[in-house]
Amino acid sequence: MGLEMISLKSEREIEAMRKAGRITAQARALAASMIRPGVTTHEIDTAVRRFIESHGAKPSFLGYGGFPGSACISVNEVVIHGIPGPLKLKEGDIVSVDVGAYIDGHHGDCAGTYPCGAVSEEAMRLIRVTEQSFWEGMKFARTGYRVSDIGHAIQEYVESNGYSVVRDFVGHGVGAKLHEAPEVRNFGPAGHGPRLQKGMTIAVEPMVCAGGWQVKVLRDKWTTVTADGSLAAHYENSLLITDGEPEILTVTGE
């Protein structure tokens, strides 16, 4: 996508995105605090919706493209877009929560993967590598670098740890729309795509599989699982490109 399609945010728009990002990050933290054996994904989703609405915002995902939940809650081999429902979490599960909040005309978007009770050492390692891959990519979220430099750093880190990066789904610009230009891949060669400029806002979100990177979408047209049934993890924050270090917009503010 060309740079002319990328929205550079004004100070007023950035302030709105900070507000949306704070609510979104707080909703992610709330969901994470509820993850324990016996809790249903519907219960977490209901709490997320109530929290977002109590702050005068709207859940970005509810009804988006027909999605029925306020949060995507994806367990074990589910990579993304898990539909909340009667599923009870059990000891040893890993649970990915992706949330968005819309307020003052702008969206926040973030995700994280969390252990349910005691989980295997391998599952914890996958969670840690996935989160760290975000931070490796964020080192390149600065003016002068290209969008693909972020994804290249993510892929190198993930693969050096023996995991694979999902190819079919990617990060994106975020702002007045939940998904804007540019596409932010988590893989590929460096030195491609638009140059990062001050005022760009992007959602960087590595999706990492313990096995192969291939995924399949189930019959509900949302739930996306690893093709080989291996565990998957997801980590995401919305970032603002500045004159210096990128600013994470999806922070709780506490």
Short mmCIF file of all heavy atoms in Angstrom, two decimals, residues 4 9-10 13 46 82 131 138 157 240 245:
data_model
loop_
_atom_site.label_atom_id
_atom_site.label_comp_id
_atom_site.label_asym_id
_atom_site.label_seq_id
_atom_site.Cartn_x
_atom_site.Cartn_y
_atom_site.Cartn_z
N GLU A 4 0.53 7.34 0.49
CA GLU A 4 -0.57 8.30 0.41
C GLU A 4 -1.84 7.76 1.08
O GLU A 4 -2.73 8.52 1.44
CB GLU A 4 -0.86 8.68 -1.05
CG GLU A 4 -1.43 7.58 -1.91
CD GLU A 4 -0.40 6.57 -2.40
OE1 GLU A 4 0.79 6.76 -2.11
OE2 GLU A 4 -0.77 5.60 -3.07
N LYS A 9 -1.42 10.81 12.07
CA LYS A 9 -2.37 11.32 13.05
C LYS A 9 -1.96 12.69 13.59
O LYS A 9 -0.78 12.95 13.84
CB LYS A 9 -2.49 10.33 14.22
CG LYS A 9 -2.80 8.88 13.81
CD LYS A 9 -4.08 8.74 13.03
CE LYS A 9 -4.49 7.30 12.79
NZ LYS A 9 -3.63 6.52 11.91
N SER A 10 -2.97 13.52 13.79
CA SER A 10 -2.76 14.83 14.44
C SER A 10 -2.64 14.61 15.94
O SER A 10 -2.95 13.53 16.47
CB SER A 10 -3.96 15.74 14.16
OG SER A 10 -5.11 15.24 14.84
N GLU A 13 -5.92 13.52 17.36
CA GLU A 13 -6.21 12.11 17.06
C GLU A 13 -5.36 11.18 17.92
O GLU A 13 -5.84 10.15 18.41
CB GLU A 13 -5.95 11.84 15.57
CG GLU A 13 -6.98 12.50 14.65
CD GLU A 13 -6.58 12.44 13.20
OE1 GLU A 13 -5.37 12.61 12.87
OE2 GLU A 13 -7.48 12.26 12.36
N THR A 46 -17.96 -11.37 28.54
CA THR A 46 -18.99 -10.51 29.15
C THR A 46 -18.35 -9.43 30.01
O THR A 46 -18.74 -8.26 29.96
CB THR A 46 -19.97 -11.36 29.99
OG1 THR A 46 -20.60 -12.31 29.13
CG2 THR A 46 -21.04 -10.49 30.64
N GLY A 82 -10.88 -16.79 18.17
CA GLY A 82 -11.70 -17.74 18.92
C GLY A 82 -12.98 -17.05 19.41
O GLY A 82 -12.93 -15.97 19.97
N GLU A 131 5.95 -12.99 23.01
CA GLU A 131 5.97 -11.61 23.50
C GLU A 131 7.30 -10.93 23.18
O GLU A 131 7.33 -9.79 22.71
CB GLU A 131 5.72 -11.53 25.02
CG GLU A 131 5.80 -10.09 25.49
CD GLU A 131 5.43 -9.87 26.95
OE1 GLU A 131 4.84 -10.77 27.58
OE2 GLU A 131 5.73 -8.76 27.45
N MET A 138 9.65 -4.14 17.65
CA MET A 138 9.43 -2.75 18.02
C MET A 138 10.70 -1.92 17.94
O MET A 138 10.64 -0.69 17.77
CB MET A 138 8.82 -2.66 19.43
CG MET A 138 8.23 -1.29 19.74
SD MET A 138 7.44 -1.18 21.37
CE MET A 138 8.81 -0.60 22.36
N TYR A 157 13.76 -13.65 15.08
CA TYR A 157 13.78 -14.02 16.50
C TYR A 157 12.97 -15.30 16.73
O TYR A 157 13.42 -16.23 17.42
CB TYR A 157 13.25 -12.88 17.36
CG TYR A 157 13.29 -13.21 18.83
CD1 TYR A 157 14.49 -13.13 19.54
CD2 TYR A 157 12.15 -13.64 19.50
CE1 TYR A 157 14.55 -13.46 20.89
CE2 TYR A 157 12.20 -13.98 20.85
CZ TYR A 157 13.40 -13.89 21.53
OH TYR A 157 13.46 -14.23 22.85
N LEU A 240 2.62 4.18 18.30
CA LEU A 240 2.72 5.48 17.63
C LEU A 240 4.18 5.69 17.23
O LEU A 240 5.08 5.59 18.07
CB LEU A 240 2.26 6.60 18.57
CG LEU A 240 2.58 8.03 18.12
CD1 LEU A 240 1.77 8.42 16.88
CD2 LEU A 240 2.31 9.02 19.27
N GLU A 245 11.88 7.00 20.21
CA GLU A 245 11.33 5.69 20.56
C GLU A 245 9.84 5.65 20.22
O GLU A 245 9.12 6.64 20.44
CB GLU A 245 11.49 5.43 22.07
CG GLU A 245 12.91 5.25 22.54
CD GLU A 245 13.49 3.89 22.17
OE1 GLU A 245 12.72 2.93 22.04
OE2 GLU A 245 14.72 3.83 21.99
#
